[in-house]
Amino acid sequence: AEAAAESGEAFYYDTEDASNFYMELWGGDHLHVGIYDDSSSASPETVAVASDKALTTLLDMCAPAFKDKPSGGKAMDMGAAYGGAARALAKKYSSQVVCIELSKKENEINVQRNAEQGLQDQVTVPGELSFDATQQDAATFDCVISEDSILHAGKGRADVVKEAARVLRKGGLFVFSDLMQQDGVDVTQLAAVYARIGLEDMGSPASYIQWAAAAGMRVKCYIDHSEQIGRHYGTLKAMLEDDKIRARLKGKVSDKYVEAMKVGLEAWIQGSAAGNLAWGFFVFEKI
C-alpha cells in the first residue's frame, strides 16, 4: 500500500501542472503547511513567510540532537522535496544531511539548488528512495526530520517511523510535522479529504506515539497547531480565486488543474472547520 501511495505522490508532484503550481504559489522551496498570523493576506509571499515560520519551529526543536557535536552531526530529511528544510538544517547546525525523496523532478531541483548555494558536499541526494527503505546504515544519524510527508505513506506510516528509529543513534531525535486526522474522529466525515490525497486514512497523534513506542522511541513533546490547517488551505484557495494570480498561472497551470485544486482545498478547509483534522510537531527520542 505504501509503495502505491508513494508512487502516486511522486507522479502527482512530478506532473507539469503540479510542479508549476507549487513553484508559483507555495514559495518554491517548501511543500508543507505554514504558521500564519491573523492578519495574513492571500499571496505567495505570505505562504513563503508562513512556511519559513513552520520550518524554523521544526529546526529549533532539533537543537538537542546536535548538542556537543563539533563536526555538526548527521541528519536525514524524509520526504525532502526541493530540499528547503535540508539546506536550512545544514546551515543552522553545520550538519551533513541526506535527502530521501521518491520524486525524480524534486530530487533534480534539490541537487541544482544545493550546487547553487555551495552545499553540494553537505546536502546529498542519493537518488529516488522510499522513506521506509532509505538504504542508510543503522544507528548513524543524530536527527531525522520530515515535513508533512509521512501522510503519503498510507498504510506504511508505521514502517516509516520504524525506519527513522533504525537509522537513529541512541539518544537521536525524530522531529517531524504531519497532517493527520484527530483521534477518535468519525472517518466517514473525511471522505472528501481521503479522495483528495488518494488514501484510505490518515495517521493521528495517538497512532504516531504508539508506532514510535513500538519502534523503540519515546515521545518528548507534541505541539498542536491544528488551527493552521484551515488558514493555510484557505490562503491557497483565496489565491486561486484572485484574478491577478490566475493570470500569473496562465500558460503554466491548466484551468482544469486549478478547478480540481480548489475542490481539494475546500475539502481540507471544511475538514478543519469541523474539527476533524490535526497538524502539529512531534519530537521522539531513540531509546
Side-chain angles (χ1 to χ4, degrees):
E2 184 198 10
E6 279 207 4
S7 295
E9 180 200 9
F11 172 77
Y12 180 81
Y13 288 125
D14 275 354
T15 64
E16 199 68 26
D17 274 339
S19 180
N20 288 340
F21 171 81
Y22 289 107
M23 198 67 69
E24 290 289 332
L25 298 191
W26 211 302
D29 217 22
H30 306 288
L31 292 172
H32 57 83
V33 174
I35 295 178
Y36 299 76
D37 59 45
D38 293 334
S39 61
S40 295
S41 59
S43 71
E45 293 72 27
T46 294
V47 176
V49 169
S51 294
D52 284 340
K53 190 171 182 180
L55 174 58
T56 299
T57 299
L58 182 140
L59 294 182
D60 287 348
M61 297 170 83
C62 297
F66 301 106
K67 187 179 179 182
D68 303 323
K69 290 283 179 180
S71 64
K74 188 176 181 181
M76 175 187 292
D77 185 355
M78 286 182 153
Y82 302 130
R87 285 185 292 279
L89 183 68
K91 292 174 183 176
K92 184 176 179 70
Y93 295 110
S94 300
S95 57
Q96 295 288 321
V97 186
V98 177
C99 295
I100 303 299
E101 174 57 55
L102 201 65
S103 165
K104 189 173 189 296
K105 177 170 285 193
E106 289 177 10
N107 281 335
E108 290 171 348
I109 293 171
N110 191 355
V111 169
Q112 178 184 343
R113 291 184 178 173
N114 293 336
E116 290 170 353
Q117 297 182 35
L119 292 170
Q120 64 272 18
D121 294 330
Q122 201 174 340
V123 179
T124 58
V125 183
E128 287 67 63
L129 293 172
S130 169
F131 44 25
D132 75 336
T134 65
Q135 299 180 18
Q136 304 302 302
D137 292 338
T140 57
F141 287 83
D142 300 297
C143 188
V144 175
I145 66 169
S146 184
E147 291 184 294
D148 300 359
S149 293
I150 306 175
L151 164 76
H152 296 288
K155 298 295 185 182
R157 293 182 197 104
D159 294 330
V160 177
V161 175
K162 186 177 180 180
E163 178 69 356
R166 185 188 71 81
V167 301
L168 281 170
R169 62 165 173 81
K170 184 177 180 180
L173 299 183
F174 183 26
V175 183
F176 69 96
S177 63
D178 207 21
L179 282 156
M180 301 167 283
Q181 59 194 40
Q182 291 284 0
D183 293 304
V185 70
D186 177 2
V187 296
T188 63
Q189 300 298 309
L190 288 172
V193 173
Y194 295 158
R196 157 71 184 146
I197 55 180
L199 296 169
E200 298 174 4
D201 66 357
M202 303 167 74
S204 70
S207 61
Y208 275 116
I209 292 170
Q210 179 183 345
W211 295 331
M217 295 188 288
R218 63 184 171 199
V219 62
K220 300 280 285 183
C221 71
Y222 170 63
I223 301 176
D224 182 76
H225 281 289
S226 298
E227 77 286 349
Q228 296 295 336
I229 299 173
R231 292 179 182 177
H232 180 73
Y233 290 109
T235 299
L236 290 174
K237 187 168 184 280
M239 284 195 289
L240 291 180
E241 293 170 342
D242 183 286
D243 290 341
K244 290 182 180 178
I245 291 178
R246 286 294 290 267
R248 172 175 170 172
L249 295 177
K250 207 70 179 174
K252 298 177 181 178
V253 181
S254 70
D255 290 341
K256 181 179 179 182
Y257 181 89
V258 169
E259 292 307 313
M261 177 60 75
K262 285 167 63 177
V263 172
L265 294 172
E266 184 62 25
W268 286 109
I269 294 165
Q270 293 300 322
S272 175
N276 294 328
L277 298 171
W279 180 69
F281 298 84
F282 292 93
V283 179
F284 291 113
E285 180 183 14
K286 174 76 172 291
I287 301 171

